[in-house]
Amino acid sequence: MIMGLDGANPVNLTNHPAMDMDPSWCGSENLAFVPDRDGDLNIYKMSEDGANPTALTDSPGADFAPSCSPSGRQLVYTSTADGNEESYVMNADGSGQTRLTYDSASDNSAAWSPDGSKIVFVSGRDGNREVYSMDTDGGALVNLTNAPGEDSSPAWSPNGSQIAFSSNRNGSWEVYLMNPDGSGTYQITNAGAINGAPCWSAAGSQIVFQSNRGGNDEIYHMTSDGSFQTNLTADGSADGAPDLEH
């Protein structure tokens, strides 16, 4: 689905009997997404109006959670092609698929820094899920969160000054912000429910996220300091995995 930033005029882009998920804008004219229409999960690309869906991956495992680079030339994604959830990168046409992480724990939920020089991702390699950063070739890994509890869904702000993520370190899943080096962490939601999957507006002034605070998964938006949290979807069906046009 695609809709305005105020939740108005939702439009079904895929309209397929199979499940479609994990939309990610690739520039202003294309979207990557993950359908379940081939018997397993693969990454597809389509035009912003839903036209011309094209498969980019066809691995023996599941390929999901794509994130397009700021230039639109590459995607980082999660794959079980080698038997374990690992982070991979490929060109925007599906060529050059390259594994970036190598660990027996799951590595997933990768996303780019706004200058395209770093990738943040989630790993359980230290015993619980933490947010890490790495170079675009998989080198220079740094644990950014290193806290009790689970951390997930990192998203870099457009100006590169902050990373939004979700964590259950205080009992419930809430949205937090931190500096790119992991310092200065603070909580910006406090709904006592599951709040996650944050993403930033292009100007960096708003964050859209998923929450079940009303008993159903819906998409909310708020200012980047956590103010004015508003339900955008308010529908009886589950809504989630938001991404904003860059």
Side-chain angles (χ1 to χ4, degrees):
M1 303 289 289
I2 189 172
M3 63 181 179
L5 189 55
D6 59 357
N9 304 315
V11 176
N12 186 344
L13 296 180
T14 52
N15 198 27
H16 192 278
M19 176 181 68
D20 300 311
M21 62 182 190
D22 292 351
S24 177
W25 281 97
C26 295
S28 61
E29 297 181 352
N30 294 286
L31 287 145
F33 71 105
V34 179
D36 190 18
R37 57 187 67 177
D38 299 320
D40 64 348
L41 300 179
N42 286 299
I43 296 173
Y44 278 60
K45 199 172 183 180
M46 64 180 173
S47 301
E48 62 175 336
D49 60 358
N52 305 313
T54 304
L56 301 180
T57 66
D58 188 20
S59 78
D63 305 316
F64 55 99
S67 172
C68 287
S69 67
S71 69
R73 298 190 185 101
Q74 291 182 299
L75 293 91
V76 68
Y77 62 102
T78 304
S79 179
T80 62
D82 294 316
N84 185 51
E85 286 188 2
E86 301 288 353
S87 294
Y88 288 70
V89 68
M90 64 178 168
N91 296 324
D93 62 1
S95 65
Q97 297 176 19
T98 304
R99 183 172 169 177
L100 297 178
T101 60
Y102 292 83
D103 196 86
S104 58
S106 293
D107 298 316
N108 53 45
S109 302
W112 298 84
S113 66
D115 65 0
S117 67
K118 292 283 187 180
I119 293 170
V120 286
F121 68 104
V122 175
S123 178
R125 64 186 62 202
D126 287 338
N128 66 315
R129 287 190 292 169
E130 305 280 4
V131 176
Y132 285 73
S133 67
M134 63 179 170
D135 290 343
T136 57
D137 62 359
L141 271 68
V142 178
N143 185 339
L144 299 179
T145 49
N146 198 24
E150 305 281 313
D151 304 309
S152 186
S153 307
W156 226 301
S157 66
N159 67 5
S161 65
Q162 292 181 304
I163 297 171
F165 67 101
S166 57
S167 178
N168 69 354
R169 62 185 62 189
N170 289 325
S172 61
W173 282 97
E174 304 290 352
V175 178
Y176 290 73
L177 298 180
M178 64 178 170
N179 297 325
D181 63 359
S183 65
T185 300
Y186 63 99
Q187 184 175 333
I188 60 171
T189 65
N190 190 25
I194 299 176
N195 304 275
C199 61
W200 298 79
S201 66
S205 59
Q206 296 188 70
I207 294 173
V208 174
F209 64 103
Q210 178 179 333
S211 178
N212 70 349
R213 63 186 63 185
N216 185 51
D217 284 328
E218 304 285 359
I219 295 173
Y220 287 70
H221 79 77
M222 59 183 168
T223 58
S224 58
D225 64 358
S227 302
F228 306 108
Q229 296 178 27
T230 305
N231 187 342
L232 295 180
T233 49
D235 186 81
S237 300
D239 301 305
D243 191 51
L244 285 167
E245 182 181 0
H246 306 143

